[in-house]
Amino acid sequence: MIINQPPGIRHSADSVAGSRTSHSPAQARARRGLLFSEVIVAVPILGMLVALAAAGVLSYQKSRHEATARQTAAWAAAAQLERIQAGAAPDSRPPAGVLSPDVELSVGTTPGKGAWEGFQLVTVSAGIVLNDKQKVAERISGYVRTEVKP
């Protein structure tokens, strides 16, 4: 018995047989060429991504090194100002081994004026020279009471 089917519907045996297609050698080579061209395009893209990532890491390391040097200079200047406020002479150096040899300290004093008369404005500058000859400096100021001699 033959059943009339609407157009476009196939029996399961027809659809399996219809889905089997054989590729010619030329079509197989074309598929391999497509994959090779994808690799040829992907390798430079990956190379650019790696280069951008490396540049970002190097930039981060440089800025981290600069921030660490700036923080070290600020601590050194603050410590020297505290030493002066505690009674050390402004031109005295910290004890040996306390301060890194890379840190350069300079101290300037100015007599206080007006309401600050009887005090000295002490300005401590600390600088560190980085590897690429860039200098990082921090400056801290504070008033110190001058000694009144009888």
Side-chain angles (χ1 to χ4, degrees), residues 5 9 35 48 59 74-75 80 83 86 91 105 114 118 134 146 148:
Q5 296 179 355
I9 296 179
L35 293 175
M48 287 188 294
S59 174
W75 284 343
Q80 182 69 3
R83 286 183 70 247
D91 58 349
L105 284 176
Q134 178 185 1
T146 54
V148 178

Side-chain angles (χ1 to χ4, degrees), residues 10-88:
R10 297 182 177 172
H11 289 291
S12 61
D14 291 341
S15 64
V16 171
S19 66
R20 292 183 189 160
T21 57
S22 61
H23 295 291
S24 68
Q27 289 174 335
R29 273 194 298 274
R31 284 186 60 98
R32 274 188 257 132
L34 179 64
L35 293 175
F36 181 72
S37 66
E38 289 172 346
V39 170
I40 292 297
V41 170
V43 167
I45 291 173
L46 289 174
M48 287 188 294
L49 289 174
V50 168
L52 288 172
V57 167
L58 291 175
S59 174
Y60 169 75
Q61 286 178 340
K62 182 179 177 184
S63 65
R64 184 185 65 190
H65 181 64
E66 182 180 335
T68 302
R70 188 172 300 282
Q71 188 174 30
T72 301
W75 284 343
Q80 182 69 3
L81 182 60
E82 286 179 18
R83 286 183 70 247
I84 294 168
Q85 289 172 337

